[in-house]
Amino acid sequence: MKKVQGAVHFVANNKLSFERGPSPVELYPTPADQLGHKKKAQPQPTMEEILPKLETPEMKARIADLLSRYPEAQGALLEVLWLVQEALGWVPREGIRFAAKACGCSAAHAFGVATFYTMYKHAPTGRFLLQFCRNICCEQKGASNIIAYTEKALNIKTGETTPDGLFTILQVECLGACGFGPVMLVNDDFATNAKDGKLTMLPGETLTPEHVDNILRWCYAREKEFKNEPVRDALGGSVAGHLGHPGAPGASAVAQTFDYAPPSPVLGLKAVSKETGVVLTWKG
Ligand code: FES
């Protein structure tokens, strides 16, 4: 009879020993872990320290505008958190509490939201936050090499900030631009190169060490030119242009309505937008 050897017996009989390698969590820390808010205690400012930046007339007006666009104030929580991050450069605990109060929800709820999305930073970052996708498509196209190259060029490791406060490197999951991989974000802008004074991401153009050098040069030049602009200048653009929840007072977004949803190839139904007259049908 054939003897089937169990795994435990196999290990014992062959005197195998194992050395534990790094766990996936250690190998691939989340951006939040990389910035250290979970592993190291991040010094937190008090409410008194942050209020002068959050209670400016402009901030009050923007928050009031956002709140008016949702049937429930809580609907504006994500965007109010963005505003806090725009004003402070990150979202400290008291900033989360401020957003919760503005949106009429509990601090615990707002904390859950702010820590769920990795786009909210729980520790200060450099003026230029370089976020590299490390997910599968980018990895197959050489993301690790590009990250290692950038770390060497700036003399910092992932999760660290350069001593001059200019750059922080993070590794993040898929940025939704897999076809351009490997890709990176410079603050909130995609970049695979920098040309003619602009960050670019042109079809067929991917990150190479030479392009990383161009991007870093662009950052240094921008820093020189716009020394006093807000740290996270790109944030808030989407907030300012938001049309609001359809139906909320003050919102200018138009509700999309369809005769049939979803259109079904089996039933032969089609969807017609009442607002635009656009007809949606299944192909084939
Ligand atoms: S895998 Fe890198 S953007 Fe999707």
Side-chain angles (χ1 to χ4, degrees), residues 16-245:
L16 298 182
S17 67
F18 298 94
E19 269 177 29
R20 185 180 161 275
S23 76
V25 172
E26 285 159 348
L27 279 174
Y28 302 109
T30 67
D33 285 334
Q34 291 167 28
L35 275 174
H37 89 287
K38 282 188 186 161
K39 290 191 175 153
K40 282 184 253 151
Q42 169 63 43
Q44 298 285 329
T46 63
M47 188 63 98
E48 289 69 38
E49 284 168 327
I50 61 173
L51 276 184
K53 285 189 174 171
L54 298 179
E55 286 199 323
T56 62
E58 193 210 336
M59 280 290 276
K60 281 184 182 167
R62 288 178 77 180
I63 291 173
D65 176 48
L66 285 173
L67 294 178
S68 75
R69 295 166 182 229
Y70 292 89
E72 302 287 337
Q74 192 171 313
L77 180 59
L78 287 173
E79 289 170 297
V80 173
L81 285 167
W82 271 124
L83 286 185
V84 170
Q85 181 156 279
E86 183 190 345
L88 305 175
W90 61 298
V91 279
R93 297 286 163 88
E94 292 304 311
I96 295 173
R97 206 182 294 278
F98 172 88
K101 196 167 167 217
C103 297
C105 62
S106 73
H109 175 79
F111 185 77
V113 171
T115 50
F116 178 80
Y117 296 102
T118 56
M119 292 78 95
Y120 296 114
K121 301 293 170 255
H122 300 277
T125 63
R127 184 169 175 76
F128 296 101
L129 178 59
L130 310 181
Q131 300 187 76
F132 291 88
C133 172
R134 63 173 180 202
N135 223 292
I136 189 158
C137 298
C138 290
E139 185 56 39
Q140 285 185 332
K141 301 274 296 290
S144 294
N145 294 341
I146 291 294
I147 294 168
Y149 179 84
T150 313
E151 287 179 336
K152 197 162 169 219
L154 294 174
N155 201 21
I156 52 171
K157 292 269 167 235
T158 293
E160 293 176 354
T161 300
T162 50
D164 58 8
L166 270 190
F167 297 98
T168 299
I169 297 177
L170 289 185
Q171 294 178 36
V172 296
E173 303 307 334
C174 181
L175 291 168
C178 320
F180 287 85
V183 293
M184 71 185 286
L185 286 175
V186 178
N187 290 344
D188 295 323
D189 292 320
F190 277 112
T192 49
N193 199 359
K195 272 187 226 159
D196 306 325
K198 278 195 294 222
L199 294 175
T200 59
M201 190 167 83
L202 302 172
E205 182 185 73
T206 55
L207 273 180
T208 61
E210 193 194 336
H211 289 181
V212 169
D213 288 343
N214 292 343
I215 290 167
L216 296 182
R217 269 196 292 274
W218 178 89
C219 293
Y220 283 120
R222 191 169 170 82
E223 163 64 6
K224 245 186 179 166
E225 201 179 338
F226 301 102
K227 220 172 177 50
N228 296 321
E229 72 183 7
V231 178
R232 304 297 311 279
D233 54 292
L235 285 181
S238 56
V239 174
H242 196 287
L243 299 177
H245 188 288

